[in-house]
């Protein structure tokens, strides 16, 4: 019996098995370089007594690090594109980081058309020619998990969008997350007194859901129904799913015409609208107000919400209408956490340190404080973590600076379930800073929080009357 050895097949198998190891090696080499670069620079900067010179030094260091972070996220792709979305926010990261990372939203390499075609035909059980009047071979966009193509079904007049998962992406992304978890454990033991590991565990759970498009289709339909039921007109547009064209790796939905929110300024300039004029300001306020209202209703009333409002998932349609895309990351909050968060929203909106501390305990957020004015810092920490409003005169939050609340109050334990709320609020804050609007989602969400607590028996009619006596002056969100 002859033994047939296929060298090419053997090489492909070995290459596939080695890919996770290669990615892990690349991540650790690059992460160590960025981290040690900052640690060495901290010593150098501390020797410079001139504050202005020190600031210039820090800016240069951030630029060097930004290039390294950009190259790592761009080269590795996959999960690290999501890391870039989280880190590259104008209210959180240094300006140099934001400038570099904001361009990575939809820059994942695309899967070749012949592979896309094979996935589609296997998943849907028919050939592309049988299913579609036309199918654009060039994707509209490619993200970390999937890419989308514009098409039209046979016998239909409206365009649709076909979302197709990149083959083999799940194993690589899980490898990336576990590397990040190990790095998070090291960082929280050495530099940042925050339970980063729990945050990365929740990220692992949430992202694992994104590989099932049947689940995403159900989430999209559920949120669309909820927002339509709770409003005369839904504050945001949710794409309609083409029901009989959904599988684990393929999702077909209606096409929504609009421009990405990151290109809003360019679009206004094309139309001769001054970016700082009244018309632009009104449009931006309307966009943010509707987006934030949708999130307040989803998080507090339903507990089931879209948990990924990064700029790449937001389109602006005619009349400043907002469309919210990509329902791969959704969260279903348990009622106890939903109501506990509603209490925290009221505490932040009312500037009440005592209730903020109580809410933290109810939510299971364990803290350790060594500062003098613990309650005041607890409220500041709540605002930093769970509100979109920036303090007066502040254009960028620096949560890991020496004077920040996170440095003064260590977060020993943070419920994994709450990470999606935290991330969502921070992404909304990043959008508001990007639009040049400083507003408090806690103040906007106050009436919703009051309503859900009243319905749950946590607020009495007397409590509500006292709240309403405070008048409309307390219900201004925009600053």
């Amino acid at each position: 019996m002859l033994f047939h050895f296929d060298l090419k097949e053997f090489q492909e198998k070995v290459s596939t098995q080695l890919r996770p190891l290669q990615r892990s090696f690349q991540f650790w080499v690059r992460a160590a370089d960025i981290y040690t670069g900052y640690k060495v620079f901290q010593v150098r900067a501390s020797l410079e007594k001139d504050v202005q010179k020190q600031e210039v030094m820090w800016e240069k260091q951030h630029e060097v690090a930004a290039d390294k972070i950009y190259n790592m996220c761009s080269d590795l792709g996959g999960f690290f594109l999501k890391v870039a979305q989280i880190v590259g926010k104008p209210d959180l990261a240094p300006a140099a980081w934001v400038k570099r990372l904001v361009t990575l939203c939809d820059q994942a390499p695309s899967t070749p058309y012949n592979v896309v075609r094979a996935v589609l035909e296997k998943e849907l059980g028919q050939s592309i020619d049988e299913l579609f009047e036309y199918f654009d071979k060039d994707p509209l966009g490619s993200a970390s998990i999937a890419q989308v193509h514009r098409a039209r079904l046979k016998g239909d007049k409206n365009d649709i969008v076909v979302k197709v998962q990149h083959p083999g992406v799940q194993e690589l992304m899980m490898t990336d997350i576990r590397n990040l978890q190990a790095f998070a454990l090291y960082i929280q033991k050495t530099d940042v007194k925050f339970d980063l590991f729990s945050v990365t565990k929740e990220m692992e759970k949430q992202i694992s859901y994104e590989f099932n498009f049947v689940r995403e289709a159900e989430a999209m339909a559920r949120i669309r129904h909820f927002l339509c039921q709770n409003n005369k007109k839904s504050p945001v547009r949710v794409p309609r799913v083409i029901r009989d064209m959904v599988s684990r790796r393929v999702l077909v939905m209606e096409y929504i015409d609009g421009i990405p929110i990151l290109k809003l300024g360019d679009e206004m300039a094309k139309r001769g609208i001054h970016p700082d004029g009244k018309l632009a300001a009104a449009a931006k306020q309307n966009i943010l107000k509707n987006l934030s209202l949708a999130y307040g209703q989803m998080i507090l009333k339903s507990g089931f919400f879209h948990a990924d409002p990064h700029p790449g998932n937001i389109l602006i349609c005619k009349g400043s209408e907002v469309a919210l895309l990509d329902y791969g990351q959704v969260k279903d909050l348990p009622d106890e956490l939903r109501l506990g968060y509603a209490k925290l929203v009221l505490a932040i909106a009312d500037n009440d340190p005592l209730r903020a501390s109580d809410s933290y305990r109810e939510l299971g957020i364990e803290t350790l404080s060594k500062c003098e004015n613990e309650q005041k810092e607890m409220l500041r920490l709540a605002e930093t973590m769970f509100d979109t409003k920036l303090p007066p005169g502040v254009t960028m939050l620096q949560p890991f600076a020496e004077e920040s609340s996170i440095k003064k109050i260590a977060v020993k334990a943070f419920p994994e379930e709450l990470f999606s709320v935290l991330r969502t609020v921070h992404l909304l804050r990043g959008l508001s800073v990007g639009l040049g609007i400083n507003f408090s989602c806690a103040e906007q969400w106050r009436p919703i929080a009051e309503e859900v607590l009243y319905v749950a028996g946590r607020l009495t009619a007397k409590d509500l009357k006292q709240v309403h006596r405070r008048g409309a002056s307390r219900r201004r969100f925009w600053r």
Side-chain angles (χ1 to χ4, degrees):
M1 180 176 166
L2 292 173
F3 174 72
H4 175 70
F5 179 74
D6 190 326
L7 179 62
K8 188 175 180 183
E9 185 182 341
F10 174 75
Q11 287 174 331
E12 284 177 358
K13 281 183 180 178
V14 171
S15 176
T16 301
Q17 289 172 351
L18 287 177
R19 277 179 79 191
L21 288 173
Q22 289 169 340
R23 284 181 76 80
S24 296
F25 178 74
Q26 286 186 59
F27 166 75
W28 283 105
V29 167
R30 295 186 186 213
D33 179 41
I34 295 161
Y35 177 74
T36 54
Y38 267 113
K39 296 305 287 185
V40 170
F41 180 78
Q42 273 183 330
V43 177
R44 281 182 50 216
S46 66
L47 299 175
E48 177 57 66
K49 303 303 177 188
D50 188 305
V51 177
Q52 286 187 333
K53 285 183 181 177
Q54 199 179 78
E55 285 180 1
V56 172
M57 288 171 67
W58 272 109
E59 283 175 17
K60 288 181 180 177
Q61 174 61 23
H62 289 323
E63 285 173 6
V64 170
D67 283 337
K68 290 179 179 180
I69 295 168
Y70 177 91
N71 289 334
M72 180 179 78
C73 294
S74 179
D75 292 347
L76 293 176
F79 175 70
F80 292 101
L81 293 176
K82 291 189 176 293
V83 172
Q85 291 161 7
I86 295 167
V87 174
K89 292 168 56 267
D91 63 301
L92 183 61
W97 289 25
V98 176
K99 191 176 178 182
R100 290 294 276 139
L101 298 182
V102 76
T103 58
L104 278 174
C105 277
D106 287 300
Q107 286 196 11
S110 60
T111 296
Y113 172 70
N114 63 318
V115 179
V116 168
R117 181 173 186 138
V119 172
L120 266 174
E121 293 180 348
K122 182 183 177 184
E123 294 291 312
L124 299 181
Q126 286 180 270
S127 73
I128 279 189
D129 295 333
E130 288 174 318
L131 287 168
F132 301 103
E133 192 73 42
Y134 82 86
F135 187 95
D136 193 343
K137 294 181 181 181
D138 297 319
L140 286 170
S142 181
S144 52
I145 287 174
Q147 64 192 51
V148 291
H149 292 259
R150 191 171 180 173
R152 183 173 294 175
L153 293 169
K154 288 272 189 184
D156 205 343
K157 293 180 180 178
N158 299 314
D159 283 0
I160 46 96
V161 167
V162 183
K163 182 175 181 178
V164 186
Q165 192 172 127
H166 301 304
V169 71
Q170 185 168 357
E171 185 187 0
L172 290 182
M173 287 190 77
M174 291 299 109
T175 299
D176 295 340
I177 290 171
R178 289 180 192 117
N179 284 325
L180 193 66
Q181 286 169 351
F183 189 63
L185 268 177
Y186 176 76
I187 291 291
Q188 75 184 45
K189 285 179 180 177
T190 56
D191 281 293
V192 179
K193 305 305 177 187
F194 190 90
D195 186 7
L196 292 171
F197 182 72
S198 291
V199 168
T200 57
K201 286 298 287 181
E202 177 66 9
M203 287 172 77
E204 178 182 7
K205 186 164 69 176
Q206 283 300 112
I207 287 170
S208 67
Y209 292 144
E210 288 196 61
F211 301 106
N212 185 353
F213 290 175
V214 175
R215 183 181 183 274
E216 180 176 349
E218 290 168 354
M220 199 182 306
R222 180 174 167 183
I223 288 172
R224 180 186 167 93
H225 177 74
F226 167 78
L227 290 173
C228 289
Q229 288 285 98
N230 279 268
N231 301 275
K232 288 182 180 177
K233 182 187 176 186
S234 176
V236 298
R237 283 186 68 180
V238 179
R240 181 176 53 84
V241 176
I242 310 300
R243 274 292 177 189
D244 55 347
M245 300 195 73
V246 179
S247 77
R248 191 174 178 85
R249 296 198 295 162
V250 171
L251 172 58
V252 182
M253 69 199 97
E254 73 169 308
Y255 172 78
I256 294 178
D257 192 24
I259 57 162
I261 195 168
L262 286 175
K263 294 181 180 176
L264 182 62
D266 294 340
E267 188 65 24
M268 285 181 172
K270 277 184 196 173
R271 298 185 183 191
I273 300 170
H274 195 281
D276 299 322
K278 288 183 179 179
L279 191 61
K284 289 174 183 178
Q285 284 197 358
N286 190 52
I287 289 165
L288 195 56
K289 182 174 142 189
N290 285 331
L291 189 62
S292 182
L293 175 62
Y295 271 98
Q297 291 179 348
M298 284 189 285
I299 293 170
L300 296 171
K301 290 185 82 168
S302 167
F304 187 78
F305 62 98
H306 177 289
D308 198 19
H310 75 77
N313 288 341
I314 299 166
L315 286 183
I316 308 303
C317 311
K318 284 183 180 178
S320 303
E321 189 179 26
V322 181
L324 195 55
L325 312 177
D326 195 346
Y327 290 73
Q329 283 195 50
V330 291
K331 185 67 188 172
D332 201 352
L333 275 184
D335 279 347
E336 282 305 304
L337 278 184
R338 178 176 64 86
L339 296 171
Y341 183 61
K343 281 181 68 176
L344 183 60
V345 165
L346 288 185
I348 295 170
D350 289 337
N351 203 32
D352 189 329
L354 188 60
R355 271 198 294 165
S357 298
D358 288 343
S359 298
Y360 261 42
R361 281 192 291 273
E362 187 174 326
L363 287 166
I365 301 173
E366 293 179 23
T367 58
L368 180 65
S369 168
K370 292 180 181 178
C371 58
E372 292 178 9
N373 197 338
E374 184 180 346
Q375 284 194 351
K376 182 183 174 185
E377 288 300 334
M378 283 288 281
L379 179 62
R380 280 186 63 198
L381 182 63
E383 290 169 342
T384 300
M385 293 172 70
F386 291 110
D387 196 10
T388 51
K389 186 179 179 182
L390 293 171
V394 175
T395 56
M396 182 182 78
L397 282 176
Q398 294 184 330
F400 306 127
E402 289 302 320
E403 288 302 305
S404 73
S405 298
I406 290 177
K407 282 285 187 181
K408 293 178 182 179
I409 297 178
V411 179
K412 291 171 61 185
F414 188 84
E416 293 177 15
E417 299 271 10
L418 266 186
F419 167 67
S420 293
V421 177
L422 176 71
R423 180 171 184 262
T424 297
V425 170
H426 278 244
L427 285 168
L428 287 174
R429 185 195 286 149
L431 285 168
S432 69
V433 171
L435 291 171
I437 300 168
N438 191 16
F439 89 109
S440 166
C441 68
E443 288 181 35
Q444 189 196 26
W445 296 351
R446 182 213 298 264
I448 306 170
E450 290 166 357
E451 180 189 343
V452 300
L453 289 169
Y454 176 71
V455 169
R458 304 279 186 99
L459 269 182
T460 65
K462 185 180 178 183
D463 292 331
L464 282 177
K465 283 179 183 176
Q466 288 175 346
V467 167
H468 293 153
R469 281 196 208 105
R470 287 196 287 264
S473 63
R474 293 297 302 274
R475 299 192 187 279
R476 288 181 57 83
F477 325 123
W478 313 102
R479 296 289 184 265

